[in-house]
């Protein structure tokens, strides 16, 4: 029976230096993300996995609210963790290797919704800095095609209908769990957020936006073992 | 003069000055650590203790004071809606201040009682509820390790039944939100251990028992059942 596997990073562990340090990338990918994969597989392949066996990672999110009680928490936290981190790695790239700013329709949409790209960043920064405890900040598209910014606690994401306060298709996300930044930035989360913009892969974000306009979720590698 | 003594002196001066000119809004302060930053080594590094105390706890104190100031202004303006909206900020930061103020005393250097096993009424209650001290340690460890995201594992006392209970709290929710009196807290926010243990929360929790100040825990228990 095939199960989820840890996707490879699209770049070296040191590729996002100096903004995100090598050690953090190592522990974040091989430690934290691997653990989400292992725990998710444990739940789904186990006796209570039932209808979750064989589901796409997107559908694991959408159906997390309906998971059997015995595995509900594990699926929410680790299914979320596997989805969020698989998406996250693709949203970043070494500085200079991808477009460093939003372009095309996405740029226009950001300007239309938030006034300017800078205003969008200000609002996103506020959501990321203001998430108390562990969680993520998101740029999403709702069912009507409107862009919105939100944050979610722990490993929840906006695909988790019935769980997440805000529902939509994620286009851009930022991990603000302390493990994402503590080795380099310690308690200085705003500094991490500011540095992260240097490694955002806007080409990928534009691609996600174009998919979302067709109500499709982001495309990224979801290897199976 | 040690840096702790200097800090204490400046705090005494600050309090004296504030008492002369204080407004009606409470101003909470960062409590001193009862030991130096390096004294919990090798179990918790000096760097972690310094950041945890001087940055994280200080920020909760600052934000708590800011929240109270805002609530006071809203109250003066008769703006109950704003007062309600500020409750989250109060809970996060007030909780953070309450929790960490307990934590610093829950821990002690090995040569000041850290890790020394308790006796007396508290140990008796532990044996009654958990079977043994080791069983409590094992259970509270699992409770703390199992917290999803940021939060705490707690040993608390139910003031109604007078029984010892274990609980998890998310974020900085104080144990009072679960109607329990806090006795011993295990902080599992990643900032508590990450610089030293990285993602190995289990090893951190295992090592923390070497510096748990059981005298402090027992004394809280005795106050709580009185």
């Amino acid at each position: 029976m095939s199960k989820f596997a840890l996707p490879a990073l699209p770049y070296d562990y040191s590729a996002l230096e100096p903004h995100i340090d090598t050690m953090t990338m190592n522990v974040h990918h091989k430690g934290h993300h691997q653990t989400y994969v292992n725990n998710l597989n444990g739940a789904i392949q186990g006796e209570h996995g039932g209808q979750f066996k064989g589901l796409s990672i997107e559908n694991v999110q959408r159906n997390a609210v309906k998971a059997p009680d015995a595995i509900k928490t594990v699926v929410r936290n680790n299914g979320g963790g596997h989805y969020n981190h698989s998406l996250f790695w693709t949203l970043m790239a070494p500085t200079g290797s991808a477009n460093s700013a939003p372009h095309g329709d996405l740029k226009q949409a950001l300007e239309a919704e938030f006034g300017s790209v800078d205003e969008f960043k200000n609002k996103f920064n506020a959501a990321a800095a203001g998430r108390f405890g562990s969680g993520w900040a998101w740029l999403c598209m709702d069912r009507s095609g409107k862009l919105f910014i939100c944050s979610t606690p722990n490993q929840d994401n906006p695909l988790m209908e019935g769980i997440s306060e805000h529902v939509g298709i994620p286009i851009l996300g930022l991990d603000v769990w302390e493990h994402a930044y503590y080795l380099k930035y310690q308690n200085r989360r705003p500094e991490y957020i500011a540095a992260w913009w240097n490694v955002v892969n806007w080409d990928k974000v534009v691609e996600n936006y174009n998919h979302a306009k067709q109500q499709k979720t982001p495309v990224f590698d979801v290897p199976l073992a | 003069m040690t840096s702790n003594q200097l800090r204490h002196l400046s705090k005494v001066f600050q309090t004296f000055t504030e008492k002369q000119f204080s407004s009606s809004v409470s101003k909470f302060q960062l409590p001193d650590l009862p030991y130096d930053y390096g004294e919990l080594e090798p179990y918790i590094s000096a760097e972690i203790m310094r950041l945890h105390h001087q940055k994280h706890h200080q920020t909760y104190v600052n934000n708590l004071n800011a929240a109270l100031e805002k609530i006071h202004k809203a109250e003066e303006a008769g703006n109950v809606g704003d007062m309600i909206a500020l409750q989250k900020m109060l809970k996060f930061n007030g909780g953070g201040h309450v929790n960490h103020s307990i934590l610093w005393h829950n821990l002690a250097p090995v040569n000041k009682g850290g890790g020394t096993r308790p006796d007396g009424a508290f140990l008796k209650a532990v044996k009654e509820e958990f079977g043994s001290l080791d069983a409590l340690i094992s259970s509270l460890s699992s409770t703390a390790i199992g917290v999803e995201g940021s939060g705490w594992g707690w040993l608390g006392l139910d003031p109604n039944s007078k029984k010892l209970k274990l609980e998890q709290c998310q974020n900085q929710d104080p144990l009072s939100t679960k109607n329990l009196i806090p006795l011993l807290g295990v902080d599992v926010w990643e900032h508590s251990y990450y610089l030293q243990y990285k993602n190995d929360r289990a090893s951190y929790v295992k090592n923390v028992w070497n510096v748990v100040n059981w005298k402090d825990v027992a004394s809280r228990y005795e106050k709580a059942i009185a």
Side-chain angles (χ1 to χ4, degrees), chain B residues 85-125:
Chain B
L86 286 159
Q87 291 306 300
K88 254 198 182 134
M89 189 181 175
L90 178 64
K91 187 178 183 183
F92 289 161
N93 294 287
H97 176 48
V98 165
N99 295 336
H100 289 84
S101 298
I102 295 170
L103 178 65
W104 308 136
H105 293 277
N106 276 170
L107 303 173
V110 168
N111 63 7
K112 290 179 189 164
T116 302
R117 295 164 86 85
D119 52 24
F122 173 64
L123 182 63
K124 188 161 176 277

Side-chain angles (χ1 to χ4, degrees), chain B residues 139-159:
Chain B
S139 285
L140 182 47
S141 295
S142 298
T143 299
I145 291 165
V147 170
E148 295 288 351
S150 305
W152 294 65
W154 285 99
L155 171 68
L157 187 87
D158 182 331

Side-chain angles (χ1 to χ4, degrees), chain B residues 164-179:
Chain B
L164 292 172
K165 293 232 160 90
L166 296 182
E167 257 299 356
Q168 289 178 340
C169 287
Q170 285 300 126
N171 295 338
Q172 294 297 349
D173 295 356
L175 192 61
S176 51
T177 57
K178 305 255 175 169
N179 300 309

Side-chain angles (χ1 to χ4, degrees), chain B:
Chain B
M1 193 180 280
T2 67
S3 54
N4 266 348
Q5 285 171 323
L6 260 174
R7 245 191 310 280
H8 177 71
L9 258 184
S10 77
K11 203 147 288 161
V12 168
F13 178 74
Q14 197 184 328
T15 310
F16 172 78
T17 324
E18 275 174 4
K19 279 195 160 100
Q20 310 297 309
F21 303 107
S22 64
S23 68
S24 56
V25 184
S26 289
K27 253 194 126 112
F28 289 91
Q29 283 182 353
L30 181 70
D32 286 332
L33 227 49
Y35 36 80
D36 282 336
Y37 292 125
E39 287 193 79
L40 302 186
E41 292 205 337
Y43 310 108
I44 306 178
S45 72
E47 195 189 3
I48 286 179
M49 289 306 294
R50 185 184 59 82
L51 285 163
H52 207 170
H53 182 246
Q54 283 185 9
K55 302 292 180 189
H56 293 274
H57 190 173
Q58 180 71 75
T59 300
Y60 293 131
V61 169
N62 296 345
N63 290 344
L64 168 61
N65 289 332
L68 290 170
E69 186 67 50
K70 287 183 174 157
I71 290 171
H72 180 67
K73 285 204 166 81
E75 189 185 352
E76 282 187 321
N79 192 333
V80 179
D82 274 7
M83 291 176 74
I84 291 169
L86 286 159
Q87 291 306 300
K88 254 198 182 134
M89 189 181 175
L90 178 64
K91 187 178 183 183
F92 289 161
N93 294 287
H97 176 48
V98 165
N99 295 336
H100 289 84
S101 298
I102 295 170
L103 178 65
W104 308 136
H105 293 277
N106 276 170
L107 303 173
V110 168
N111 63 7
K112 290 179 189 164
T116 302
R117 295 164 86 85
D119 52 24
F122 173 64
L123 182 63
K124 188 161 176 277
V126 167
K127 284 180 172 167
E128 262 170 39
E129 193 59 45
F130 300 98
S132 67
L133 185 73
D134 286 328
L136 163 62
I137 288 172
S138 176
S139 285
L140 182 47
S141 295
S142 298
T143 299
I145 291 165
V147 170
E148 295 288 351
S150 305
W152 294 65
W154 285 99
L155 171 68
L157 187 87
D158 182 331
N160 295 316
S161 68
K162 303 290 190 201
K163 280 181 146 222
L164 292 172
K165 293 232 160 90
L166 296 182
E167 257 299 356
Q168 289 178 340
C169 287
Q170 285 300 126
N171 295 338
Q172 294 297 349
D173 295 356
L175 192 61
S176 51
T177 57
K178 305 255 175 169
N179 300 309
L180 296 174
I181 296 167
L183 304 181
L184 171 62
V186 182
D187 188 350
V188 288
W189 278 64
E190 287 171 327
H191 65 237
S192 305
Y193 59 89
Y194 211 81
L195 292 180
Q196 186 175 357
Y197 295 91
K198 306 214 177 56
N199 61 319
D200 192 356
R201 186 189 275 184
S203 290
Y204 153 71
V205 171
K206 185 161 186 249
N207 275 345
V208 146
W209 298 108
N210 290 292
V211 287
V212 162
N213 183 359
W214 288 111
K215 253 211 178 81
D216 177 71
V217 182
S219 137
R220 287 176 198 274
Y221 171 77
E222 275 147 37
K223 279 200 187 76
I225 56 166

